[in-house]
Amino acid sequence: MSTQPKSIASRADKPAPSTQTSEIKRPSPDLKKTPLLAPFETLDRMAHASVAKATSGLSPSVLAEAWMDWATHLAVSPGKQLHLMEQAFRDAQTVWMASLGIGKPEAAPDTSQALNPDRRFAGEAWQKYPFNVWSQAHQQSWAWWQDATGGVHGVTPEHENLMGFVAGLMTDTAAPSNFAMTNADVISATLTEHGQNLVRGVKNLTEDLIAKTGTAPPAGPQVFEVGRNLATTPGKVVFRNDLIELIQYSPATDTVRPEPILIVPAWIMKYYILDLSAQNSLVAFLVAQGFTVFIVSWKNPGAEDRDLGMEDYRQLGVMESIDAALAITKAPKLHAVGYCLGGTLLSIAAAAMGRDGDARLASASFLAAQVDFTEAGPLRLFINDSEVTLIEDMMAEKGYLSSDQMVGAFALLRARDLIWAPAIHNYLLGQRSDAFDLMAWNADATRMPARMHSEYLRKLFLNNDLAEGRYHVEGKAIAVSDIRAPIFAVGTEDDHVAPWQSVYKMQLLADTDVTFVLTSGGHNAGIVSEPGHAGRHFRIAETKANATYRDPSEWLEKNAAQDGSWWTGFANWLAARSSALAAPPAMGAHSGAYTALCDAPGSYVMQR
């Protein structure tokens, strides 16, 4: 195990910035090409950007390469071909016999929903002829294509996974549940309501298309609004620069822990995912437990911010927030918390601090955040050099990645739940789901600067530089093992963005005490898991720095689930690593750089 580096001068000893707004030094463009080649490269980028628009940002060459690998190997695999022909004959025979009323149709195994029954065909009407035959035929087709694209001798695992995903996506597009004439529930609703469900569906579709074009706001009154019933925990914006607003929350107790909490959310989302409604706000919960809480509210970048990079996000987002929080509270240390991409950024900042002997972190917590991207879930299906290049060329036109492009990519990963199910519900059944706070937040997406997103995709996601010691801060390499503060890491069981096994790798890379939590729920709902939320459970265990490593499956087997919210365990963990209770600090500084500017939630969160 590595040893504690020698202490050097702390950043806390440095003078506070003299102005409230920090200027960003934007680097001049570097094409890395000779002037003669630059026009031709520009033409190529324009062509690639046009392709990206037509394919929603997905690189055709990625799929073409995977298809060629699969098709070539399948063509010289006669055994696999015979197996598939035999299986297709058996499936066809089963469906044909069922359609004649001979035998009872039984659903084929659906490996994509192995842990959850296929809800599309769960209704009583789907158990009757002919709908039971149609649903059986679809599920058998789905299973056959998964068999066809998997297990072909010689195909690389990456290409096999991508072909399986695409085959499943295309098969699901043709599911009988997606069409009014073959959906048992839609037919029943149409007969019962004399077609009024379809009339409402057309109205819903028209409203959504108008809202999509931006020519009109979403139909109907807005149930949730930031500052009214979202992001309402009382506080002040105590610092602002070109990239962030820093919010300090008002104390809710007579005494507080001296060490403040600084929360760094992801910049792909608005910060109030952690300050939703009053009953499920992590911020409000921590304040009620006697902590002074600060949170970073990221600017929604535009074309003028195209040259903002990862280093700008580290320096202006994390380091200047640390300076501000400690200057206001006059505490020697703070608890840093990072969520999703904010956690990845915090790991970079914390590793650099550890390398440089900056000991101002009392603890570092990472919520659904990855530092190793080799097992980054379904997103890895598409991320290779060709895809990243296409995204870069697409961003070059506007200077940022739009929220629509990000939302579309995530929707494809869970098309059944995020594309087809809402379409059936809204347009075929003519219904509208009741609005809730998490859905309102999810619709409030943000953009990402071109340079930062390119650096993130290449250095972290594609090359895995952070986990493998190649990521540089201020010209020198950093390592996660240099983080000296104790770590609290949270993974969620159903996370398709940051799979918990990937988040668990913090225990493999860190060289300090790590407390790992595995909680029920997904990437967002698992983190927003307040006490009293029905059906929630979690596992928690601490691994000391000198303990031997256990792989995720062993850890899962050794640690039993307990009912309730992980928030309570988190608050207890923070309190155990904090000093005795004391009087709350002032809200911002009395004068100078950190005087209060306005009430929370501030202005950056309102940017569209």
Side-chain angles (χ1 to χ4, degrees):
M1 310 297 287
S2 60
T3 57
Q4 180 81 14
K6 294 182 179 179
S7 174
I8 64 173
S10 168
R11 285 176 53 92
D13 296 330
K14 297 182 179 180
S18 58
T19 61
Q20 264 181 289
T21 302
S22 299
E23 296 296 332
I24 296 175
K25 295 181 180 179
R26 304 184 187 276
S28 58
D30 181 11
L31 294 176
K32 298 182 179 179
K33 298 288 183 181
T34 65
L36 292 177
L37 292 179
F40 297 102
E41 181 184 15
T42 301
L43 181 61
D44 290 344
R45 288 181 179 273
M46 292 173 61
H48 294 170
S50 298
V51 172
K53 290 179 181 178
T55 61
S56 299
L58 299 178
S59 173
S61 65
V62 175
L63 180 58
E65 183 181 352
W67 182 87
M68 182 61 72
D69 186 14
W70 169 75
T72 301
H73 285 90
L74 181 62
V76 293
S77 300
K80 181 71 172 180
Q81 294 175 25
L82 289 172
H83 164 70
L84 291 175
M85 287 189 287
E86 179 187 26
Q87 188 61 49
F89 177 78
R90 288 183 177 179
D91 290 346
Q93 184 181 37
T94 301
V95 172
W96 176 249
M97 297 292 285
S99 66
L100 296 177
I102 304 174
K104 180 180 179 181
E106 295 181 358
D110 186 349
T111 55
S112 74
Q113 300 289 315
L115 300 180
N116 302 295
D118 195 332
R119 293 172 294 178
R120 297 174 298 175
F121 312 119
E124 182 179 349
W126 283 102
Q127 313 311 315
K128 301 177 181 178
Y129 182 86
F131 304 106
N132 55 353
V133 177
W134 294 343
S135 64
Q136 179 194 21
H138 168 72
Q139 292 181 84
Q140 285 183 335
S141 175
W142 198 99
W144 186 89
W145 275 106
Q146 294 304 302
D147 191 11
T149 54
V152 179
H153 189 63
V155 179
T156 63
E158 294 80 8
H159 292 160
E160 182 177 286
N161 292 336
L162 179 56
M163 288 303 298
F165 170 79
V166 173
L169 195 65
M170 295 179 66
T171 307
D172 278 341
T173 301
S177 56
N178 294 343
F179 303 93
M181 297 299 294
T182 54
N183 187 313
D185 299 325
V186 173
I187 292 175
S188 176
T190 302
L191 294 175
T192 301
E193 302 182 39
H194 305 289
Q196 288 304 302
N197 58 306
L198 299 178
V199 174
R200 293 194 307 272
V202 172
K203 179 175 179 291
N204 292 343
L205 177 60
T206 302
E207 291 174 350
D208 290 347
L209 289 175
I210 292 174
K212 185 79 171 177
T213 61
T215 56
Q222 300 304 296
V223 179
F224 292 98
E225 295 180 8
V226 176
R228 181 172 64 84
N229 52 7
L230 296 173
T232 58
T233 304
K236 299 284 186 181
V237 174
V238 295
F239 176 68
R240 179 186 294 130
N241 61 31
D242 284 353
L243 187 58
I244 70 160
E245 288 182 335
L246 183 65
I247 299 172
Q248 178 186 359
Y249 290 96
S250 304
T253 54
D254 294 334
T255 55
V256 299
R257 300 289 178 178
E259 295 83 4
I261 296 174
L262 171 65
I263 300 177
V264 183
W267 51 88
I268 196 174
M269 57 182 71
K270 295 293 181 69
Y271 82 87
Y272 64 89
I273 177 67
L274 301 176
D275 186 25
L276 279 171
S277 304
Q279 74 276 5
N280 60 2
S281 166
L282 177 60
V283 167
F285 173 80
L286 292 173
V287 169
Q289 304 306 305
F291 293 100
T292 299
V293 178
F294 293 81
I295 198 167
V296 172
S297 176
W298 298 100
K299 176 185 178 182
N300 196 1
E304 70 279 5
D305 302 304
R306 64 188 308 127
D307 290 323
L308 286 174
M310 288 291 293
E311 179 60 15
D312 294 307
Y313 274 72
R314 182 192 72 89
Q315 184 61 45
L316 300 178
V318 179
M319 301 313 298
E320 292 198 4
S321 295
I322 291 175
D323 292 341
L326 294 180
I328 291 169
T329 60
K330 297 180 173 55
K333 295 186 177 185
L334 56 73
H335 300 290
V337 180
Y339 177 31
C340 187
L341 294 182
T344 304
L345 182 66
L346 176 62
S347 70
I348 293 171
M353 293 172 72
R355 178 199 66 187
D356 298 337
D358 186 340
R360 292 182 296 161
L361 296 184
S363 70
S365 300
F366 304 96
L367 315 182
Q370 299 175 99
V371 293
D372 183 297
F373 289 81
T374 54
E375 297 179 88
L379 284 174
R380 285 212 63 87
L381 291 171
F382 303 102
I383 300 300
N384 61 18
D385 193 74
S386 174
E387 175 63 25
V388 173
T389 299
L390 194 72
I391 293 174
E392 289 171 340
D393 293 341
M394 182 172 58
M395 293 188 297
E397 182 179 5
K398 292 183 178 180
Y400 57 80
L401 187 69
S402 70
S403 59
D404 288 343
Q405 291 160 338
M406 290 184 288
V407 169
F410 283 112
L412 280 178
L413 298 178
R414 299 177 59 201
R416 287 189 186 181
D417 296 329
L418 300 181
I419 297 178
W420 300 121
I424 295 167
H425 184 78
N426 294 334
Y427 310 138
L428 297 184
L429 295 175
Q431 301 172 1
R432 287 292 197 188
S433 300
D434 293 334
F436 57 97
D437 50 12
L438 194 58
M439 181 174 69
W441 165 84
N442 192 59
D444 192 7
T446 60
R447 298 175 290 273
M448 291 197 286
R451 180 182 174 189
M452 181 282 303
H453 195 49
S454 174
E455 291 176 348
Y456 164 73
L457 289 176
R458 287 199 177 277
K459 294 182 179 181
L460 299 176
F461 212 105
L462 187 59
N463 297 334
N464 205 30
D465 286 349
L466 177 59
E468 297 178 13
R470 294 186 299 270
Y471 195 95
H472 285 69
V473 172
E474 297 178 346
K476 296 185 294 183
I478 60 170
V480 176
S481 59
D482 286 335
I483 298 176
R484 298 300 156 185
I487 290 174
F488 190 94
V490 181
T492 63
E493 292 177 349
D494 303 318
D495 199 328
H496 65 286
V497 178
W500 77 265
Q501 294 89 344
S502 181
V503 176
Y504 183 87
K505 286 189 174 182
M506 178 63 76
Q507 299 206 72
L508 182 64
L509 298 172
D511 198 9
T512 185
D513 296 347
V514 178
T515 298
F516 185 75
V517 170
L518 179 61
T519 181
S520 57
H523 187 69
N524 297 323
I527 299 301
V528 184
S529 182
E530 71 281 1
H533 195 127
R536 294 301 170 93
H537 62 264
F538 67 98
R539 294 172 167 86
I540 184 171
E542 181 181 22
T543 302
K544 292 294 186 179
N546 59 356
T548 56
Y549 175 72
R550 292 181 294 175
D551 65 27
S553 59
E554 182 184 359
W555 186 94
L556 188 67
E557 181 182 351
K558 296 293 184 181
N559 296 286
Q562 51 186 291
D563 293 334
S565 167
W566 65 270
W567 288 13
T568 304
F570 184 41
N572 293 336
W573 186 88
L574 290 171
R577 288 154 183 81
S578 301
S579 304
L581 294 168
M587 293 295 294
H590 295 296
S591 61
Y594 305 124
T595 54
L597 300 173
C598 62
D599 289 334
S603 60
Y604 280 5
V605 73
M606 303 296 185
Q607 294 174 336
R608 295 292 183 265

